[in-house]
Every structure is written in structure tokens, then in C-alpha cells.
Amino acid sequence: VTAANEAAEALLGCNPGELIGRSYTVFWPESAPSPIDLSLDGQRSHKAEIQRGDGRFIPVNLTIFPLDAGANRQQIITITNLDTVQRLNDALSHAQRLAGVGILTAGVAHELVTPIGIITNTCGNVRAELEDDSLGKDDLMRYVEMVEQSIWRCMRIVGVLRDYTFDDLQHMAVTEVNAIIGDAMVLLRHQFRSEFRIEFELELSDSLKSIVCDHNQMTLVVVANNRLERIGQL
């Protein structure tokens, strides 16, 4: 090593100036999962694992640029820590999802108005009929069922938005495609209705096979795809 910047020193776990004069085989020993051969000619890029000063291997992407073909065979090597890239990609994905939530929240809030209104009106009817002693058992059971159905609808709407926003863990399981489409429509229905005056009427096939996937991630794909199509139309 004839020259190295501070980023390389930090990545390889070395003190300032400690890299100069050392052989590259210290970081890419023959025992490495993917040893590097710098004797090859030409520019190239590939994934590998390098060994830090503390003995720990880390996944990286290497890009090698030959400077000359003389006896010195000097080369420039750029090293990208793939763990860092993955963390940045995850953070970017989450930020994009949160940005999308800002658009979807208004629609979801509007979807909650209907079941909450049913609950409010039903409770008002129960109170009024209790006051004039006209509430029968059958009517009471009907009111209870209406409130229960509305509560479950609210919970589903809120649950879909919560999973879309915060669930970054992967949960692979057998999933119904229709359930994925249904959750996506919960998030998109009001947005399309208010902005484009488009009403959804789902015609889901009962013959679709189940798939193994992450339900929430696939819902995110459907929602993101619809948003991209809207951007393209605009």
C-alpha cells in the first residue's frame, strides 16, 4: 500500500498512516472467503470479504483501476462497505415509505369516518330507545352487531396503515393474493376517489393460488406501483 485515505484506514481498522507499506494480503489472506488476485490486468469490480485489523471479515464491493502496466503495476482500489450500503438503503426505503404515508393518511382517515359515524349513530339510537323504554332484545343485538362490525373495520384500516408504515421485519408466510389486493385498496381507495373520481369495484378470483411472501412488503409493492403510475400520468 503506497497511499490510503482516512476512510480506508477507518474501514480496515487501522490507525492513521498504519496502512502505508503493508501488503494487501494482510487484508485479503488466502484463508479469506473470497481472496483477491491483484496480478490480473484490466479494470474490474466484484464483491469480496476483507479482513479488518481486528480479524473480523466484512463484505465489500471492490473496484480496481490499473494505473500503468510497468514493473510497479500500481493500482487504485476503491472499497465500499456493503453493510453500510444496506443500512443506507433500508433507511432510504423507510423514509420513502413515510413520505407515502403522508399522502395515504388523509385517505385512511376518511375511510375511518364511515365506521366511526355508524358507531356514534348506533350509540345514540340505543340511548334514545333506552330512555323511552322501547329497546327490545332483537334491536339491541342488531345494534351490537353493527358496532362490532364497525370496530373491526376500524381496526383493520388502522392495522394496514400501521404495518405499511412501521413493519420493517420480514415475515414470510403462505398468503392469499386477494388479501394483499384488499389491504392495498384500503390505503388507496379514497385517494383515487378524491383526486381522480375513480371508484374501485373489486372482482377477486377465488381460484388464485396462495403464495409464500411477506404480506406487508407485497402490499407496499402494490401501493408503490400505483403511486408510480400516477406520477407518470401527471
Side-chain angles (χ1 to χ4, degrees), residues 86-105:
Q86 184 60 48
R87 287 196 299 271
L88 292 175
N89 286 338
D90 291 343
L92 178 60
S93 176
H94 189 66
Q96 291 174 333
R97 191 185 309 180
L98 290 177
V101 168
I103 299 174
L104 296 173
T105 300

Side-chain angles (χ1 to χ4, degrees), residues 156 176-183 185 189 201-208:
R156 179 170 184 268
E176 296 290 337
V177 176
N178 287 343
I180 295 172
I181 301 299
D183 283 355
M185 292 305 99
R189 186 185 302 277
E201 185 169 337
L202 294 181
E203 295 182 4
L204 303 176
S205 173
D206 295 330
S207 62
L208 292 178

Side-chain angles (χ1 to χ4, degrees), residues 52-67:
R52 288 170 42 89
D54 57 9
R56 180 168 58 92
F57 283 96
I58 58 174
V60 298
N61 187 74
L62 301 172
T63 304
I64 303 172
F65 302 89
L67 293 181

Side-chain angles (χ1 to χ4, degrees), residues 167-173 175 180 212-219:
D167 195 354
D168 290 324
L169 299 178
Q170 192 173 68
H171 305 282
M172 302 297 291
T175 305
I180 295 172
V212 177
C213 68
D214 183 308
H215 182 104
N216 296 329
Q217 292 293 329
M218 288 303 295
T219 302

Side-chain angles (χ1 to χ4, degrees), residues 124-136 139-140 142-143:
N125 292 339
V126 170
R127 180 181 294 110
E129 294 185 25
L130 283 174
E131 289 176 350
D132 60 18
D133 199 23
S134 62
L135 182 61
D139 288 336
L140 178 59
R142 180 168 58 85
Y143 288 146

